[in-house]
Amino acid sequence: IRAAYDGSNIMSWISSSSAFSDPDLYQMYNSCQTKSKWHTAYIKPIQKLNIGGVMWYQGEGNTWYKNNNYEKALTTLIESWRDEWNDQELPFAVVQLPTADFNIIYGNRTPSNTGGFCTGIGVRDAQWQVSQKLENVTTVVSIDTGRKTEVHPQDKQPIADRAAKVFEHYLMGNDTDAYQSPSYDYMEIT
């Protein structure tokens, strides 16, 4: 099932009742022009269907917001969808934003009026943090795909292959670590 809308804000995908649960989310929700629109149009109608998992590929629509709170919004989205589907273990593959430089793509928004989120770094980090805190949530790294001037990489095959490994793990019990994106243990600055 494909439920998508290009360039959408994460608050478009969260129910209004979930958005009202937190003051920071409520502020984000009020600044969103399409409040819960895609949740109502695309998600609510399919909630009676049994699904095996969710591939969440969104984020660029939130790269220019000051005081982003994307981590809190993504956590709320996952937890509320799990409640709505009555499946607390529903797997999510969260595709991180690619290497795009959103300052170039959205040239009229500069770091000085966006809190520095225009590069996508804040959203990428939030996506990673959520995958580390919630069970059955895995980050699909895509930083090595695309070009700085592309919001959506032309070649999506590497992203699809990585996401497929995530769902092979969650849905078919594939126990290898091949589904996990690379991460580092520590960093030392000398």
Side-chain angles (χ1 to χ4, degrees), residues 9-12 14 19 22-35 61-62 65-74:
N9 182 309
I10 192 170
M11 300 311 292
S12 301
I14 296 174
D22 179 274
D24 293 330
L25 287 181
Y26 184 69
Q27 184 178 11
M28 274 180 82
Y29 184 79
N30 278 337
S31 70
C32 176
Q33 293 178 346
T34 55
K35 300 171 182 69
N62 289 91
Y65 287 91
K66 206 174 208 175
N67 302 322
N68 192 280
N69 290 313
Y70 191 86
E71 182 178 340
K72 193 177 283 191
L74 182 56

Side-chain angles (χ1 to χ4, degrees), residues 104-124:
I104 295 170
I105 295 165
Y106 304 120
N108 61 333
R109 296 176 178 96
T110 62
S112 63
N113 66 3
T114 62
F117 283 98
C118 249
T119 61
I121 294 168
V123 171
R124 265 188 225 104

Side-chain angles (χ1 to χ4, degrees), residues 30-116:
N30 278 337
S31 70
C32 176
Q33 293 178 346
T34 55
K35 300 171 182 69
S36 298
K37 182 175 184 174
W38 307 126
H39 179 271
T40 303
Y42 294 128
I43 303 307
K44 198 104 174 113
I46 63 172
Q47 286 176 341
K48 292 182 181 179
L49 301 175
N50 291 323
I51 62 172
V54 174
M55 185 168 95
W56 181 251
Y57 194 159
Q58 185 276 340
E60 74 273 3
N62 289 91
T63 55
W64 57 77
Y65 287 91
K66 206 174 208 175
N67 302 322
N68 192 280
N69 290 313
Y70 191 86
E71 182 178 340
K72 193 177 283 191
L74 182 56
T75 299
T76 299
L77 179 133
I78 292 169
E79 290 174 345
S80 66
W81 284 21
R82 286 175 170 172
D83 288 344
E84 292 164 5
W85 259 283
N86 198 27
D87 183 354
Q88 295 308 307
E89 296 182 3
L90 183 66
F92 276 75
V94 177
V95 179
Q96 264 188 329
L97 289 179
T99 192
D101 184 337
F102 295 94
N103 286 315
I104 295 170
I105 295 165
Y106 304 120
N108 61 333
R109 296 176 178 96
T110 62
S112 63
N113 66 3
T114 62

